[in-house]
Amino acid sequence: MVLLHVKNGDESQFLLETTGSISIEDLTQEVTKIYNGRLKVHRVCAGLTDEQIEELKLKDEWAEKCIPSGGSVFKRDEIGRRNGHAPNEKMKQVLKATVEEAKALISKKQVQANVCVNKDMVKDALDQLRGAVMIVYPMGLPPYDPIRMEFEDKEDLSGTHAALEVIEEPEAQLWWAAKELKRTKQLSDYVGKNEKTKIIVKIQKKGQGAPAREPVISGEEHKQMILFYHRRQEELKKLEENDDDSFLDSEWADSHALKRHFHGVKDIKWRPK
């Protein structure tokens, strides 16, 4: 299997296992679906932790229909997205625990753990979140609720920062080694037939040009090299400043000490009779 380390810009996103025989068309669709799916999971997780709001001007006809299981606790939502009927503490913990599990499943930390992410894992994360919402809101969420709209793929991200992050599949491009991976070719046309290859692939929108090349060494490696060079310079500086040769009289500096030791003539002192 070919291992892809997918990045957007300089930021790691996820690892993906695939085959060299896959077409770039199919690969682009798969990478884009996982990339956008992870963004959706994070949006849902963020939405489930938003504070709630009281609608001051209009009566919410869904307020009495979509009551959280076990009753609600009123919390004013300053951004005006919800009616203020938040879940009680027990149900809130259900949501929080599920949010943490879902985020961990598709986390960027999976790259450091060498764990690959696929479409099924993204789907599992969304299904976990959907299940938790059904537990807390057995009557369902109002049609206008951002979480329900996310689950139904009806979200409106226009005018938001989230809209800038999403890459629509027709607009997606994959790059490797400063080369655009053409959709009419196969992955093996670029990386060869070796199925044990690991490459860094970057996803971005069309028209952005070639992404910046990956540095030869990582930022952490560069930092360690600077620290080593600094320590070495300090050591050389101390050696230059130390011009005292009195250490030559020390026993450890005597090149004949070992020979005298084996001849039994060590520590002989000459004194007049």
Side-chain angles (χ1 to χ4, degrees):
M1 301 294 285
V2 178
L3 183 63
L4 305 183
H5 180 177
V6 179
K7 289 187 173 185
N8 178 235
D10 293 329
E11 194 171 359
S12 294
Q13 300 295 318
F14 55 91
L15 299 179
L16 174 66
E17 276 190 336
T18 188
T19 63
S21 60
I22 190 172
S23 68
I24 300 301
E25 175 71 30
D26 291 341
L27 180 61
T28 302
Q29 292 178 6
E30 184 173 4
V31 170
T32 306
K33 189 168 185 177
I34 296 173
Y35 174 81
N36 289 330
R38 291 177 65 255
L39 292 177
K40 179 183 284 289
V41 171
H42 283 295
R43 290 197 303 270
V44 172
C45 289
L48 289 175
T49 56
D50 278 342
E51 292 187 354
Q52 314 270 316
I53 131 165
E54 175 186 17
E55 178 57 61
L56 299 178
K57 297 180 180 179
L58 300 175
K59 178 177 174 56
D60 184 5
E61 61 179 296
W62 296 90
E64 296 180 0
K65 299 178 183 179
C66 303
I67 301 174
S69 181
S72 64
V73 177
F74 180 77
K75 286 189 176 181
R76 182 183 179 85
D77 183 357
E78 300 299 333
I79 61 176
R81 296 173 65 178
R82 297 199 174 101
N83 61 21
H85 296 290
N88 61 29
E89 190 60 33
K90 182 178 178 181
M91 291 295 102
K92 192 183 298 182
Q93 291 306 316
V94 171
L95 291 178
K96 284 184 176 180
T98 308
V99 163
E100 292 305 314
E101 290 177 9
K103 288 167 65 175
L105 194 60
I106 52 90
S107 171
K108 294 175 182 177
K109 293 181 180 179
Q110 297 283 49
V111 174
Q112 285 129 14
N114 208 32
V115 175
C116 293
V117 175
N118 53 44
K119 292 182 291 186
D120 290 338
M121 292 172 70
V122 175
K123 182 179 181 298
D124 287 346
L126 287 170
D127 286 344
Q128 288 179 18
L129 294 168
R130 186 180 289 107
V133 170
M134 291 176 65
I135 291 173
V136 178
Y137 293 93
M139 301 299 292
L141 292 171
Y144 59 79
D145 191 276
I147 300 303
R148 176 169 171 174
M149 294 174 72
E150 287 281 2
F151 286 144
E152 295 177 353
D153 293 329
K154 297 178 180 178
E155 67 273 15
D156 181 11
L157 303 178
S158 56
T160 66
H161 176 70
L164 301 177
E165 297 179 314
V166 173
I167 301 177
E168 299 296 338
E169 191 276 322
E171 296 298 314
Q173 282 184 332
L174 298 182
W175 292 75
W176 170 65
K179 298 177 184 176
E180 180 190 348
L181 305 186
K182 301 293 185 181
R183 295 195 181 210
T184 55
K185 296 188 175 184
Q186 291 185 332
L187 183 60
S188 59
D189 293 331
Y190 295 95
V191 302
K193 303 293 185 181
N194 186 358
E195 291 290 329
K196 294 184 179 180
T197 303
K198 179 179 180 180
I199 63 173
I200 295 177
V201 170
K202 295 193 175 184
I203 180 173
Q204 62 181 37
K205 295 179 182 179
K206 289 181 180 178
Q208 293 184 330
R213 282 183 174 271
E214 287 291 305
V216 178
I217 59 174
S218 66
E220 182 60 28
E221 289 173 332
H222 181 261
K223 180 180 177 181
Q224 293 300 322
M225 289 176 63
I226 294 296
L227 289 175
F228 174 81
Y229 177 76
H230 178 71
R231 287 195 297 265
R232 182 60 178 161
Q233 289 295 102
E234 290 297 314
E235 291 172 357
L236 292 174
K237 183 178 178 181
K238 289 179 180 179
L239 287 174
E240 290 176 359
E241 293 175 349
N242 186 9
D243 57 358
D244 182 8
D245 59 359
S246 60
F247 68 91
L248 295 175
D249 294 330
S250 303
E251 182 179 352
W252 59 266
D254 186 355
S255 60
H256 300 290
L258 184 62
K259 181 178 179 180
R260 286 199 298 270
H261 172 76
F262 284 110
H263 283 81
V265 293
K266 185 182 178 186
D267 295 331
I268 296 178
K269 294 182 175 56
W270 299 95
R271 292 183 297 178
K273 293 183 179 180

